[in-house]
Amino acid sequence: MRTGPARIALWAFSVLVGLWLIAPTLVVIPLSFTDKASLVFPPSGWSTRWYANFFTDPRWTDALLSSLQVGVLVAVVATALGTAAAIALTRSGSRWVKGSYGLLLAPMIVPTVVVAIGLYALFLQYNLLGTLLGFVTAHTVLALPFVIIPVTASLRGFDQRLEDAAQICGATRWGAIRQVTLPLIAPGVVSGALFAFVTSFDEVVVSLFIQSPYLQTLPVKMFASVTRDTDPTIAAAATLIIVFTTVLVLAATFATARRNRVR
C-alpha cells in the first residue's frame, strides 16, 4: 500500500513524458490529410489527395523503393558482420578486445556529419558516390553498432557449455554455432537486424553527402522537398514511415516474445 501512490505517480510521469516525446510526431498524421496545398495545423478540411500524389509521383515512389532496397541489404550485411563481430569479441581473450569494441561502436558516438565528410572523401576517390554499393557500405558502417550491442547482450547470457556439449557430440565448430548458438541468441540477432534496417531507412545526413540524381533515398527526398516547398506530400510520406516502422517494431516484438514463450 505504501508503494501504491509512488508507483501510480511514476506511471503517470512516464506517460506524460512519452506523450511529450511523441506529440510532435503525431501532429504529422492530421497534416497528411489536409485538403490545402500547404502545411496548416489544424487542417480546415480532409482529403487523401497527398497519399495519392505520393504513390503516383515517380520521384516519391522511386525514393521509397531505393530506401527499401538499401535498408534490406544493409540489414542483411550489418546483421551478418555484427553477429560475427559480437561472437568474436565475447570469446576473445585478447587485451585489444575493449579497444576493438570501442572502435566498432565509434560510428554511434562520432557526429554523423564527421562520418559523412570522411565517407564522401573516400567514396569520391573510389567512384562510389551515388551507387548502391556506396549507400549499402555507408549505412552498414552506421548500423553495425546497433547490431553488435543487442547480440553481445544476448551472448552475455548464453551458456558456452551448450556449444561445447554439441561439439563433444560430434558437431563441428560452425555446426555448433549454427544449430545451438544462433537459435538461442536469435532475439538479439532479430533486434539487431531491425535496428539496422531502421537506421538505414531513416538516415539522411550521410545520404545527403553520397547521393546522386540517379539514386536518392526517401529521407533525402523529404529533406529536398521541405527545403523547396510546403507540399503536404511530405507529411503523407512521414506518416507512412511512422506506420511502417511501428508495425515492423511491433511484429518483431511479438515474434520475439512468442519465441521466448515457446522456449
Side-chain angles (χ1 to χ4, degrees):
M1 294 298 294
R2 298 172 62 182
T3 60
R7 183 175 300 178
I8 294 175
L10 181 60
W11 273 103
F13 178 75
S14 301
V15 171
L16 288 175
V17 172
L19 291 175
W20 177 264
L21 292 174
I22 67 174
T25 303
L26 297 179
V27 168
V28 175
I29 298 176
L31 284 177
S32 66
F33 290 98
T34 182
D35 62 344
K36 303 295 183 181
S38 60
L39 297 172
V40 179
F41 185 84
S44 58
W46 304 96
S47 174
T48 58
R49 58 183 288 199
W50 305 114
Y51 288 93
N53 185 59
F54 177 86
F55 287 107
T56 56
D57 190 336
R59 294 173 299 178
W60 285 102
T61 54
D62 289 347
L64 174 62
L65 292 176
S66 296
S67 287
L68 291 174
Q69 182 182 22
V70 173
V72 170
L73 291 175
V74 168
V76 173
V77 176
T79 301
L81 295 178
T83 301
I87 293 175
L89 289 173
T90 54
R91 299 183 178 182
S92 175
S94 173
R95 61 179 179 175
W96 303 105
V97 169
K98 292 184 178 180
S100 301
Y101 189 74
L103 182 64
L104 290 171
L105 298 187
M108 187 173 62
I109 303 170
V110 177
T112 308
V113 67
V114 176
V115 178
I117 294 173
L119 288 174
Y120 174 79
L122 184 64
F123 286 5
L124 184 63
Q125 181 179 358
Y126 292 100
N127 297 321
L128 291 175
L129 293 177
T131 64
L132 180 61
L133 177 60
F135 269 90
V136 173
T137 302
H139 288 191
T140 298
V141 170
L142 298 176
L144 267 178
F146 297 96
V147 176
I148 293 174
I149 291 174
V151 175
T152 300
S154 295
L155 286 168
R156 297 296 183 191
F158 175 73
D159 190 349
Q160 178 68 34
R161 292 174 299 179
L162 296 175
E163 188 175 311
D164 295 337
Q167 295 184 59
I168 292 174
C169 293
T172 62
R173 181 66 179 271
W174 166 242
I177 293 176
R178 180 171 55 85
Q179 298 179 5
V180 177
T181 306
L182 290 180
L184 291 176
I185 65 171
V189 176
V190 172
S191 298
L194 175 63
F195 285 131
F197 177 84
V198 172
T199 299
S200 172
F201 196 79
D202 192 50
E203 174 54 43
V204 61
V205 177
V206 171
S207 300
L208 281 171
F209 277 80
I210 65 174
Q211 66 166 320
S212 75
Y214 309 103
L215 181 57
Q216 191 177 65
T217 58
L218 185 58
V220 172
K221 171 60 181 171
M222 294 172 66
F223 181 84
S225 176
V226 78
T227 55
R228 288 198 305 262
D229 49 53
T230 55
D231 185 354
T233 304
I234 189 175
T239 302
L240 291 173
I241 290 177
I242 293 171
V243 173
F244 177 71
T245 54
T246 301
V247 170
L248 196 63
V249 170
L250 291 177
T253 301
F254 289 144
T256 302
R258 183 177 181 181
R259 181 183 180 87
N260 290 335
R261 286 197 302 268
V262 171
R263 287 168 52 192

